[in-house]
Amino acid sequence: MTDLLSGELLADIRERAADYDRDNAFFAEDLADLQASGYLGAMVPTAFGGGGLTLRETAHEQARLAAHAPATALAVNMHHVWVGVGRYLHERGDSSLDWLLREAASGEVFGFGYSEPGNDLVLLGSRTEARPDGSGGYTFHGRKIFTSNSPAWTRLGVLGLEKSGVLRHGRNGAPRLVHAFITRDGGGFEILDDWDTLGMRASQSRSTLLDGAHAPADRVLRLLPPGPSLDPYVLGIFTSFEVLLASVYAGIADRALELAVEAVNKRTSMKTGKAYAQDPDVRRRIADMALAQDSVWLQIDGITRDLDASAADPTLDRGAGWFRATAGLKVRVTEAAREIVDQAVRVSGGSTYFNGSELGRLYRDVLAGIFHPSSDDAAHATVAQSLLGPLE
């Protein structure tokens, strides 16, 4: 597992992170090195030419990468999510994304084009229009935001709504959500150069305008009614997205704790003449950070262990319960990471307020966690529904 992300590779990636952030530049050299190492195929089963890592192992590797370069890890994460979906389906006897596993192993880069302005339904609805081409394929028309890997993706997963009133193949014309993939060389889209953010700058998660981007019939994966769904494709997206996203922020927290420990051992109080590591208040803050981080990894490991084993052991399959489990995981981990980074800044001193500080950069990067699905409000609604049933 560690051969894919060697210490030397990670050191090179960390060395470039500050420059990418300062210049608001895409992580092109990181991506080239990660591709050369085989990391983009890490979770592809060995039968398809990949590394064969489990979801749990990939989560740990993503955390290691995030501890060295959060924005690089976040963008690569969106590629890994799609590979995770392909693997999830394949392990459950669904071969509809086997082509994706082969293409990921051969070097294609996958992006995630689902987020839209003002759409808090995420997987349950879309503002993008999906128009049938008459041959089983669709063209897509709308605006996507937070499209990580914008300068580099070669395959983009997209979601659109086929409007009602289209009567064909004996169906009643009800609207359907269309899940499909477009290719970069297929055209029909424009990527805006609009990524100038507080943090996660190297991810270059730019807006994408879809205006006729075409997915042929063999790249249309699901046609589903709007609203909640237990389709394995949707479950695969949701669980892979939430778990791997949590791992990125866990990695940020790992690094923040490491930097805080280094700082309090180096800093000396003029008042006492001792290192800050000997200050009881500082020690309590460090201990609080570590206790929170221990809990983060217990949760990630527990959920990924069950997800990895659930294909072979149906007793571990939580069904709809995976939405509650993984949405809650994402929220708890990102909130814990924010608190850990904040405490690390507090104990490390005013130098972290300068742009050259790695902790200062982590402080900006970790804030992005509140904007990824599932939001805090959405996760609470999911948990409430699991306990109280749907709203009337």
Side-chain angles (χ1 to χ4, degrees):
M1 179 171 70
T2 55
D3 289 340
L4 295 179
L5 290 178
S6 67
E8 181 180 1
L9 171 59
L10 289 173
D12 288 343
I13 287 173
R14 175 173 287 162
E15 187 175 349
R16 293 189 286 255
D19 291 340
Y20 287 141
D21 177 78
R22 182 195 62 232
D23 299 337
N24 193 31
F26 183 62
F27 62 102
E29 293 170 284
D30 289 359
L31 182 60
D33 286 351
L34 291 168
Q35 284 181 307
S37 73
Y39 187 61
L40 296 191
M43 205 169 18
V44 175
T46 55
F48 292 92
L53 269 61
T54 63
L55 180 62
R56 180 170 180 262
E57 290 170 334
T58 306
H60 278 262
E61 289 299 272
Q62 275 296 93
R64 292 179 66 223
L65 181 57
H68 289 78
T72 293
L74 180 65
V76 170
N77 213 58
M78 301 311 164
H79 170 89
H80 282 315
V81 166
W82 280 123
V83 178
V85 179
R87 183 186 180 107
Y88 181 92
L89 294 176
H90 179 78
E91 290 178 339
R92 287 157 180 79
D94 183 338
S95 61
S96 59
L97 275 183
D98 282 3
W99 64 266
L100 185 151
L101 297 174
R102 295 187 187 94
E103 290 193 357
S106 68
E108 301 294 349
V109 179
F110 288 83
F112 208 86
Y114 274 51
S115 295
E116 299 168 338
N119 179 7
D120 57 356
L121 291 173
V122 195
L123 288 173
L124 310 184
S126 179
R127 294 177 180 271
T128 297
E129 184 180 355
R131 300 175 188 170
D133 66 2
S135 301
Y138 287 83
T139 60
F140 291 84
H141 307 262
R143 183 188 185 102
K144 302 296 184 179
I145 58 174
F146 295 110
T147 315
S148 298
N149 278 328
S150 282
W153 61 259
T154 60
R155 307 285 187 266
L156 184 68
V158 293
L159 174 68
L161 182 67
E162 180 187 17
K163 295 183 177 179
S164 60
V166 182
L167 294 173
R168 67 183 193 283
H169 303 310
R171 71 185 192 85
N172 61 9
R176 299 188 296 185
L177 289 172
V178 182
H179 298 259
F181 281 84
I182 63 171
T183 62
R184 197 176 195 93
D185 58 11
F189 63 89
E190 178 187 359
I191 297 174
L192 304 184
D193 188 7
D194 61 352
W195 189 251
D196 187 9
T197 51
L198 184 66
M200 293 295 188
R201 290 162 66 80
S203 72
Q204 290 299 302
S205 305
R206 303 172 184 177
S207 299
T208 305
L209 302 182
L210 302 174
D211 188 17
H214 182 246
D218 63 349
R219 294 300 166 93
V220 175
L221 279 303
R222 289 294 191 276
L223 300 171
L224 299 172
S229 174
L230 285 177
D231 188 283
Y233 186 84
V234 174
L235 271 171
I237 292 175
F238 197 93
T239 54
S240 296
F241 189 94
E242 301 290 67
V243 165
L244 291 175
L245 193 66
S247 71
V248 168
Y249 289 91
I252 293 174
D254 281 343
R255 178 59 174 166
L257 178 56
E258 181 181 5
L259 290 172
V261 170
E262 290 178 3
V264 300
N265 276 302
K266 291 177 181 176
R267 297 179 68 211
T268 302
S269 168
M270 286 188 66
K271 181 178 180 180
T272 65
K274 297 179 180 179
Y276 273 90
Q278 299 302 310
D279 183 308
D281 291 331
V282 170
R283 294 173 71 87
R284 183 172 183 82
R285 286 186 187 274
I286 293 288
D288 277 343
M289 293 162 63
L291 288 168
Q293 192 62 352
D294 288 347
S295 174
V296 159
W297 279 111
L298 286 170
Q299 295 175 68
I300 292 174
D301 283 342
I303 287 178
T304 54
R305 187 180 297 113
D306 283 357
L307 273 167
D308 282 330
S310 62
D313 184 355
T315 65
L316 296 175
D317 190 354
R318 306 185 193 185
W322 286 124
F323 292 112
R324 171 180 172 179
T326 55
L329 175 72
K330 179 268 173 181
V331 168
R332 290 190 298 271
V333 172
T334 53
E335 290 299 317
R338 288 179 62 211
E339 179 63 21
I340 289 167
V341 174
D342 182 81
Q343 294 288 358
V345 167
R346 289 174 186 270
V347 301
S348 298
S351 64
T352 60
Y353 198 61
F354 286 80
N355 278 331
S357 164
E358 183 181 356
L359 257 178
R361 175 161 46 84
L362 296 184
Y363 190 81
R364 291 184 287 108
D365 285 345
V366 79
L367 289 177
I370 66 176
F371 298 108
H372 304 297
S374 295
S375 68
D376 180 67
D377 289 343
H380 278 80
T382 297
V383 174
Q385 179 163 319
S386 74
L387 295 170
L388 304 172
L391 285 168
E392 296 180 0

